[in-house]
Amino acid sequence: MKKVGQKNQETNKTLEYIALKPARLTKEELRVLRCGLGCTQEDFALRIGRDLQTIGRWERGEGPADQAAEIVLRVLVLQYLKLPVPSLEEMAFWLI
C-alpha cells in the first residue's frame, strides 16, 4: 500500500509531466490538470473567464480548448506545484 506522501509525489509528477508536455492537451489531460488544482468545472471556468458549458465541451472532446485557456491552465498548475514557469517562447511550442 502506498503512503499518502508517496501518492502525492506521484500525482504531482503526473501533473508536472502533463503541464510541460510539448503538445496540445487531450480532453483527459485537461480534466486531470483541472482536478489536480482542486477545481470544479465551474471554479475553473470562472478562473479562466470561460463559461461552464465550454469547459464541459473540452472535457468531453467536443472541441479543443482554446490556446490561451490551455496556457493559463498549464501556468496555474506549475504555480500550484511551485515550479518555474517557462518563457512565452517556450510555451508557444506546447501548442504546435
Side-chain angles (χ1 to χ4, degrees):
M1 186 172 201
K2 294 180 183 175
K3 295 180 183 176
V4 172
Q6 183 180 4
K7 183 177 180 191
N8 288 340
Q9 281 184 324
E10 290 175 13
T11 299
N12 289 350
K13 282 292 182 191
T14 299
L15 293 174
E16 178 183 1
Y17 175 80
I18 295 170
L20 292 173
K21 97 173 197 171
R24 297 299 303 265
L25 299 175
T26 66
K27 64 183 183 178
E28 293 84 4
E29 291 167 336
L30 287 164
R31 185 171 191 279
V32 167
L33 292 182
R34 176 185 59 78
C35 292
L37 290 172
C39 291
T40 64
Q41 286 184 341
E42 185 175 11
D43 294 335
F44 183 59
L46 290 170
R47 288 179 88 173
I48 66 166
R50 301 298 186 276
D51 60 55
L52 177 60
Q53 292 78 17
T54 298
I55 306 302
R57 281 193 296 273
W58 295 343
E59 292 185 3
R60 288 189 302 274
E62 295 173 6
D66 63 80
Q67 293 180 343
E70 189 172 314
I71 292 287
V72 169
L73 175 56
R74 290 172 186 251
V75 169
L76 287 171
V77 168
L78 293 171
Q79 289 176 335
Y80 170 79
L81 296 172
K82 297 180 176 29
L83 294 171
V85 175
S87 69
L88 290 174
E89 291 82 15
E90 291 172 298
M91 287 189 258
F93 287 105
W94 292 344
L95 305 175
I96 295 176

